[in-house]
Amino acid sequence: MDFLNKSVAQLRDLFQSMTPGARLTTGLLLVVVVISLAYLVVEHRAGSEAYLFGGASFSAGELQAMERAFGEAGLGGYVLEGGRVRVPRGQRHQYLAALAEHRALPYNFGLYMQKAMEAGGLIRSGEERREAIEFATEQELSQIIGKMSGLEWAAVFYNSKTTPGLRPRAVATASVTVKPVGSEPLDPELVSGIRRMVAASFADLEEKDVTVIDHRTGHASTGNPDDPATPADDRYIATQRYHEQHLEADIRALLAHIAGLRVQATVVLDNQWIQRQEKIEHNPKPIPIQTVETESTRTVDQSAVGGRVGAVAQANSSASLPPTASAGPTEEETKSETQTINALSSTRTSVESRGLQVKRASVALLVPSSYLEQIWRQRQPSDPNAPGGGQPAEPDPAQLSQIESQEIAKIRAAVAAILPDSQGVEDKSQLVSVTVYQDIKPEPIPEPGMVAKATGWLARHWTTAALVALVGASLLFLRGMLRAGGTAVSLPVPAPPAPEVEDGETEVEAEANRHLGRFQSSGASLQEELADLVNEDPDAAANILRAWIGTPT
């Protein structure tokens, strides 16, 4: 704390000893130094440049519109980096204003549909409203598809009509024109996804009626599998390519530790789309399915019925005589019948299987020779006495050949484990071909020299360098001002006459008083005057100090 108080006191004395102009200049320099240091700290933390819209990535069409807006506004300090726009931090508001003025702001999904619903009010007819919604849907789909990975832009067109006649039918078609990034062809899976998305966006549109066109090559991909426009639309080729791509991806993931590995898979499919099988087997032993039993009973009575025998019965008399029955034999007959219906037993088996299944899958692998050399170097023991870091510079061909045989066997076994079953092949490792190729290492790119690095650094941070230079110059100038302020200009003062020696005063005291009078009349600082006196007359300086110390207060 005492050190701080002394430093403040010294600075206060220095400031008070300055002229008014020097004080003003010193204060202004202090303000410049403080502001410059604060700016450097803020600039270092936040950076001199910033990305628009939080570093969002934009499509090629949006970037072109932004560049046109910046050009018309006269702004040229932006940089395009991988779909992002980097601008000077202090001018970010100017770039945003230019985008808004020239209608080049990034698109927000749903904007076209919102405008279509709000425009027109209540005076629009139903047909006009439907057409406005269809147009807005086209614009929305164009923006959404254009932002998909691998595409620069997209344009969607939709048309529908109702056929005349007794049975009118709605017919709808759509086309999607896309431009891929670079020279890569359109991914079949992306084409299929685009087709399904567009078909799902219109109620009367089917997937087979959507055509996707590659703007760069002009190839059209239809959605009708029975009439493919390109080989990629063929069901067999598309399924075959799907299995090959997934098999190659699995192998690359399995052998990801091999840098420079090349994989090519070949898949053969069953050419039947749907296969149905029905098998019926009959059993030679019949099985009764129905039994009918019939039973009937019949009784026969042979006794005779007649008049009375004798004279009384033969007499002529009007009285009627009751008939009499004569006893006879009785017969009873029972009849039983059983009827059985038999049928031959049979077993019916119906099997329906999906076609285009993998019948055979083979893989060709190319392994770089640098991978074998890397394994050889890892296996070599280090020798501190050997030149070149303790390891031989060139590998042994015999050892490389042995490592090659071992690694090829390992790779075949690993890849065969993930191959699908192939018809007629028991050992799937026979379907894996591994070849070692001599990879050519590219020459290293020369690093930029010190001049190029310094130039690039100054181009990016010239404002920081200029501020550092300004701060340094201000500090040097302030240091000079402080030194000048602490040294007052001493004017030549005529030496006072030698004082007369008073009574009781020795000559030494008179000389000390004469030098004390010099200090009181001179405009120089006490410290410098005392230093000059010590250099000129050490004895007189000692007498002055004795006089000061011995002077009563």
Side-chain angles (χ1 to χ4, degrees), residues 300-324:
V300 180
D301 188 2
Q302 296 182 358
S303 60
V305 181
R308 184 177 179 178
V309 180
V312 179
Q314 298 299 328
N316 187 9
S317 175
S318 58
S320 61
L321 298 176
T324 59

Side-chain angles (χ1 to χ4, degrees), residues 382-415:
S382 59
D383 186 6
N385 298 325
Q391 290 186 353
E394 296 295 333
D396 187 6
Q399 295 179 354
L400 280 181
S401 178
Q402 183 180 2
I403 294 175
E404 178 179 347
S405 302
Q406 295 175 356
E407 292 300 319
I408 288 178
K410 293 179 182 179
I411 293 173
R412 280 182 175 175
V415 175

Side-chain angles (χ1 to χ4, degrees), residues 246-521:
H246 279 262
L247 183 58
E248 292 173 358
D250 293 341
I251 294 175
R252 288 192 181 95
L254 180 65
L255 304 177
H257 61 282
I258 304 178
L261 177 69
R262 301 180 183 179
V263 183
Q264 180 63 49
T266 303
V267 175
V268 179
L269 305 177
D270 185 5
N271 55 7
Q272 296 181 355
W273 176 241
I274 297 179
Q275 184 178 5
R276 295 184 179 90
Q277 294 180 356
E278 185 174 348
K279 184 178 180 181
I280 300 176
E281 295 181 355
H282 297 283
N283 192 349
K285 182 179 179 179
I287 299 176
I289 60 175
Q290 183 178 5
T291 301
V292 180
E293 294 182 358
T294 304
E295 183 177 355
S296 61
T297 303
R298 179 183 178 188
T299 304
V300 180
D301 188 2
Q302 296 182 358
S303 60
V305 181
R308 184 177 179 178
V309 180
V312 179
Q314 298 299 328
N316 187 9
S317 175
S318 58
S320 61
L321 298 176
T324 59
S326 60
T330 302
E331 298 180 359
E332 183 177 349
E333 182 180 358
T334 301
K335 185 178 180 181
S336 179
E337 182 179 356
T338 301
Q339 184 179 2
T340 302
I341 301 176
N342 297 326
L344 295 177
S345 63
S346 61
T347 302
R348 175 178 295 180
T349 304
S350 298
V351 178
E352 180 176 342
S353 59
R354 305 290 295 181
L356 300 181
Q357 299 298 321
V358 178
K359 294 176 59 177
R360 181 185 179 91
S362 59
V363 180
L365 302 175
L366 294 180
V367 179
S369 59
S370 59
Y371 171 70
L372 304 179
E373 294 179 3
Q374 183 180 3
I375 296 177
W376 177 83
R377 296 185 185 278
Q378 291 179 355
R379 294 181 180 179
Q380 298 303 312
S382 59
D383 186 6
N385 298 325
Q391 290 186 353
E394 296 295 333
D396 187 6
Q399 295 179 354
L400 280 181
S401 178
Q402 183 180 2
I403 294 175
E404 178 179 347
S405 302
Q406 295 175 356
E407 292 300 319
I408 288 178
K410 293 179 182 179
I411 293 173
R412 280 182 175 175
V415 175
I418 63 174
L419 285 180
D421 295 334
S422 300
Q423 298 179 4
V425 178
E426 296 181 359
D427 186 8
K428 292 187 291 185
S429 62
Q430 299 177 358
L431 302 176
V432 181
S433 173
V434 183
T435 305
V436 178
Y437 72 95
Q438 182 68 36
D439 53 337
I440 300 175
K441 299 180 181 179
E443 296 182 359
I445 301 176
E447 296 184 357
M450 294 299 297
V451 177
K453 290 182 179 179
T455 305
W457 186 87
L458 288 176
R460 295 190 303 269
H461 306 284
W462 66 271
T463 56
T464 303
L467 281 176
V468 170
L470 178 61
V471 170
S474 301
L475 290 176
L476 291 177
F477 188 72
L478 180 61
R479 180 171 175 269
M481 291 293 298
L482 291 176
R483 285 188 174 183
T487 304
V489 179
S490 59
L491 298 176
V493 179
E500 298 180 354
V501 179
E502 299 179 358
D503 297 337
E505 183 180 20
T506 63
E507 294 182 0
V508 175
E509 293 177 352
E511 182 67 19
N513 292 330
R514 183 177 63 82
H515 286 289
L516 286 175
R518 170 189 175 184
F519 295 149
Q520 295 173 359
S521 61

Side-chain angles (χ1 to χ4, degrees), residues 117-234:
M117 298 299 294
E118 295 176 353
L122 301 177
I123 62 175
R124 290 191 305 178
S125 63
E127 183 66 19
E128 292 177 348
R129 186 181 183 86
R130 184 185 65 82
E131 291 179 354
I133 293 177
E134 289 179 355
F135 176 76
T137 305
E138 293 177 357
Q139 300 300 318
E140 294 285 346
L141 290 174
S142 300
Q143 295 293 334
I144 295 173
I145 297 174
K147 285 186 171 295
M148 291 184 177
S149 177
L151 299 179
E152 291 188 6
W153 54 264
V156 179
F157 298 96
Y158 166 79
N159 188 21
S160 64
K161 67 176 182 178
T162 303
T163 59
L166 297 177
R167 295 182 179 180
R169 183 172 60 91
V171 179
T173 58
S175 66
V176 184
T177 304
V178 296
K179 183 179 181 181
V181 177
S183 59
E184 293 294 328
L186 279 176
D187 187 3
E189 294 185 2
L190 179 61
V191 173
S192 178
I194 293 174
R195 188 182 295 116
R196 293 178 182 176
M197 178 181 180
V198 175
S201 301
F202 298 95
D204 54 352
L205 185 61
E206 297 182 5
E207 184 179 347
K208 64 182 182 63
D209 297 324
V210 180
T211 302
V212 181
I213 305 170
D214 188 344
H215 181 268
R216 182 174 54 83
T217 61
H219 292 165
S221 175
T222 62
N224 189 0
D226 299 329
D227 185 20
T230 61
D233 296 330
D234 185 75

